[in-house]
Amino acid sequence: MPKDALLYQRLCELGIATADRTFTPVPPDFETLCLAHDADYVQSFLDGTISDAGMRCIGLPWSKDLVTRTLIGTGSAILASRLALDLGIAVMCNGGTHHAHPGHGSGWCIFNDQAVAARSVQRDCSVGQTLFIDLDVHQGDGTAAIFHNDSSVFTFSMHCEAQSYPAILQKSDVDIPLPAGCDDLQYISTLQRVLPSLLKKVQPELVMYNAGADVHADDSLGKMALSNEGILERDRLVMKLCSEAGSVLCAAIGGGYEPDHNKIVERHVMLHKAAAEYADAFLLNTKRAKKWAAKEEAAVGKV
């Protein structure tokens, strides 16, 4: 989408994105995609044999370019999850395809990027408990379906109850539906009430955060009423609580819909601003930092 490139350009202008903090993903292999999706579905999309009905559910026409874009997008999430383990936090300029289910795509989402990424680092990096924090205006239905009955992953979705999509909701481990017109104060106070106890209960090593900007009052598809400042406060709160809980965090920008893409970009910038503010705090939560701290503590104990 054009907003992804515009977002990166804006982050460069602000000095948030720099050459040494910019990373290029590679497409995932078939086996990695199948960690979160049915093999038949993955193969049918990759080779173009997916049914017309399947593509209508996704809402996009099939093309080789779409396959390439989808694989790069999923690769971005996989890369970001690995960078989060090394650096404490990593934020994408795209992502958040949370409507993709195990055996089908929907709502412009083909592969569930963060779900594939979570499963890949569990397989390759021995990641333990993972928490999905989905604050997009729409429920993370695909994510809930993928991790149903998976005790190693906890799904939390806080969304607008008045949204017409998805038509059929799934059951996350915790769902918090909020009313249409929910403003900054109601939204932040609800998140402040719910998230600390979830972090204490789940004790996640890794947090996968969908920071949808479609909660904004002027979003074309959302029905909430947050301001730019409210979105920034939300993202800062997530960063603060997760860093204090000892987790590392991988974030996707999620939804955001507006004819003027420059306005959407400014809403997505809030996530990257908050991440930059908490980068040092998250760095202390990496395994490398924790091992170093343990060695220092042991050395002090010997003195």
Side-chain angles (χ1 to χ4, degrees), residues 66-258:
L66 180 62
V67 172
T68 299
R69 192 179 80 188
T70 300
L71 292 176
I72 290 297
T74 307
S76 294
I78 294 170
L79 174 61
S81 64
R82 282 161 166 71
L83 289 170
L85 297 177
D86 288 338
L87 305 175
I89 185 169
V91 184
M92 302 157 63
C93 284
N94 56 5
T97 50
H98 61 167
H99 297 310
H101 287 240
H104 70 273
S106 65
W108 308 324
C109 301
I110 297 163
F111 298 139
N112 194 312
D113 53 0
Q114 289 191 301
V116 173
R119 285 264 171 87
S120 73
V121 292
Q122 286 183 328
R123 177 193 65 185
D124 301 333
C125 307
S126 301
V127 168
Q129 198 69 30
T130 300
L131 169 64
F132 275 74
I133 300 175
D134 194 329
L135 301 186
D136 192 272
V137 79
H138 306 95
Q139 191 210 33
D141 59 320
T143 306
I146 289 170
F147 295 110
H148 179 63
N149 287 334
D150 185 340
S151 61
S152 69
V153 177
F154 193 99
T155 55
F156 163 50
S157 178
M158 191 167 85
H159 47 268
C160 180
E161 65 182 356
Q163 295 295 140
S164 59
Y165 193 89
I168 300 175
L169 300 181
Q170 301 295 314
K171 183 174 175 55
S172 308
D173 290 303
V174 170
D175 284 300
I176 304 291
L178 294 173
C182 178
D183 61 12
D184 294 350
L185 180 60
Q186 182 179 6
Y187 191 99
I188 298 301
S189 62
T190 303
L191 186 60
Q192 177 69 73
R193 175 175 55 83
V194 173
L195 187 53
S197 60
L198 279 183
L199 288 165
K200 184 176 181 180
K201 174 183 178 180
V202 178
Q203 298 183 15
E205 179 179 348
L206 171 66
V207 171
M208 304 296 278
Y209 178 35
N210 185 325
D214 45 10
V215 295
H216 194 276
D218 295 331
D219 191 85
S220 299
L221 298 182
K223 296 182 179 180
M224 287 186 173
L226 273 68
S227 64
N228 280 12
E229 293 74 18
I231 291 174
L232 178 59
E233 185 178 356
R234 174 200 70 175
D235 293 339
R236 281 173 169 162
L237 180 59
V238 171
M239 303 293 172
K240 177 179 183 294
L241 294 175
C242 290
S243 63
E244 290 176 349
S247 305
V248 298
L249 185 144
C250 169
I253 64 172
Y257 310 96
E258 163 84 38

Side-chain angles (χ1 to χ4, degrees), residues 252-279:
I253 64 172
Y257 310 96
E258 163 84 38
D260 184 348
H261 279 191
N262 289 312
K263 291 182 179 179
I264 304 176
V265 163
E266 292 306 317
R267 297 166 198 167
H268 288 308
V269 162
M270 303 303 164
L271 169 65
H272 289 263
K273 283 185 175 179
E277 292 172 7
Y278 283 89

Side-chain angles (χ1 to χ4, degrees), residues 42-52 55 62-64 67:
V42 172
Q43 189 62 57
S44 70
F45 174 73
L46 294 179
D47 63 21
T49 60
I50 186 171
S51 67
D52 291 342
M55 289 309 298
W62 186 91
S63 68
K64 291 183 179 179
V67 172

